[in-house]
Amino acid sequence: MKDALEKYRVTGERKAKKKRFKFYLLLGLSAAMVLLLIFAAKFAISWQGLEVSSISVSNPTAVPNATIITALRNEMLESRLRAVIGPGNILFWGLGVKPSSLSVLPELRSVMVDSNLLKKTVSIDAVPRVPFGVICQATTTTCFTFDNSGVIFSASPDVEGPLILKVNDMTGRNLILGETILPQASWFKNFMSVIQGFSSAHLAIKEVDFNDFSLREWQVVPLQGPIFYFSFDFAPDNLGYLLTTLTQRMNFAKTTYVDFRVLDRIYYK
């Protein structure tokens, strides 16, 4: 009986040794594969055959090409893999998802990066923002241009008249490049709806006033006629038709204001 137990014990130790041998063998092979891959990757990265031959920029903006390339490169270097590869390698520009915009360059609405791995060339298309209006800080008379998405993207001189939409910001805040003229997307959507309503009714706007945001209201001063009050929380339905009808039924020359700040109600004086 004792001899039988000793036999079983010996057999168990042999199996354990075989398992340990297989484990260390697989571990060694895995380590060798990892080292081989690292060596291959380093060879590919350092191989001169992958060096970028040229970078071209299609740029209808006033931003220098070198500034666009630098900003794009710096943003792409935030990726660890790209940081290891380096911008001198065509794989840096060809692999992974590329930035579609650059926060440090608000003048650009978007950028598109395309690379040709065979020719080792990179092409960058810069799309500029189109001015929609000018917003001015009433306390400092500092003005900025914004586009139809509300993004402030460049400094601007003060403007007057109906040709360029002017917004007087009397909230006391500091306007910052790259931010939007209104703190909430829904507010800007309602703002744009009202502006489009005036355009469809052919009512020229002299200026727009943003007052204290806590009141959630704003006003439109037309070139001729009364002041119009609106809420940031909603835009009146069919505003263009309403304005056209009001111009036909009311004597705007004798009207002080028209108030749309209450939903489905119109007050005037």
Side-chain angles (χ1 to χ4, degrees), residues 21-264:
F21 175 76
K22 290 181 179 179
F23 172 76
Y24 288 120
L25 179 62
L26 290 173
L27 184 63
L29 290 174
S30 299
M33 287 296 294
V34 170
L35 291 174
L36 183 62
L37 289 173
I38 293 174
F39 175 79
K42 286 186 176 181
F43 175 76
I45 292 172
S46 60
W47 183 39
Q48 293 184 349
L50 290 176
E51 288 183 352
V52 175
S53 61
S54 67
I55 299 178
S56 61
V57 183
S58 174
N59 178 21
T61 74
V63 182
N65 289 350
T67 301
I68 295 176
I69 295 173
T70 299
L72 186 60
R73 181 186 62 203
N74 290 343
E75 186 156 331
M76 294 176 71
L77 279 170
E78 293 180 4
S79 164
R80 291 184 179 180
L81 177 59
R82 283 196 172 103
V84 171
I85 295 174
N89 192 302
I90 190 62
L91 297 179
F92 175 90
W93 303 94
L95 298 178
V97 179
K98 291 90 171 177
S100 59
S101 62
L102 297 170
S103 58
V104 296
L105 295 176
E107 305 97 316
L108 306 183
R109 186 177 186 89
S110 63
V111 290
M112 292 176 286
V113 182
D114 186 33
S115 60
N116 188 314
L117 296 179
L118 294 178
K119 295 181 179 180
K120 298 180 288 297
T121 58
V122 179
S123 59
I124 301 170
D125 288 332
V127 180
R129 293 189 186 275
V130 178
F132 182 81
V134 171
I135 184 169
C136 299
Q137 294 178 180
T139 55
T140 63
T141 65
T142 301
C143 300
F144 298 92
T145 306
F146 64 92
D147 68 353
N148 62 359
S149 64
V151 175
I152 301 169
F153 64 90
S154 66
S156 170
D158 197 357
V159 295
E160 292 183 1
L163 296 180
I164 300 176
L165 179 65
K166 179 181 178 179
V167 177
N168 296 314
D169 188 283
M170 293 176 280
T171 63
R173 60 178 173 156
N174 290 320
L175 300 173
I176 300 174
L177 291 174
E179 294 190 353
T180 53
I181 65 170
L182 287 170
Q184 297 184 31
S186 61
W187 287 15
F188 184 75
K189 180 181 178 181
N190 294 331
F191 165 80
M192 289 294 290
S193 180
V194 170
I195 298 302
Q196 291 165 5
F198 273 81
S199 177
S200 63
H202 304 290
L203 287 177
I205 297 175
K206 179 182 178 182
E207 58 189 13
V208 170
D209 294 334
F210 290 167
N211 299 312
D212 188 348
F213 280 154
S214 65
L215 300 176
R216 308 174 76 89
E217 62 186 36
W218 58 292
Q219 60 193 47
V220 175
V221 181
L223 193 62
Q224 294 179 339
I227 297 175
F228 291 81
Y229 295 100
F230 296 93
S231 170
F232 280 123
D233 292 327
F234 66 91
D237 293 332
N238 302 314
L239 180 61
Y241 170 78
L242 291 175
L243 292 173
T244 301
T245 303
L246 288 175
T247 58
Q248 296 170 354
R249 296 184 179 182
M250 297 173 58
N251 185 353
F252 275 1
K254 296 182 179 181
T255 305
T256 305
Y257 67 82
V258 179
D259 193 341
F260 287 94
R261 288 175 292 184
V262 179
L263 187 63
D264 297 330

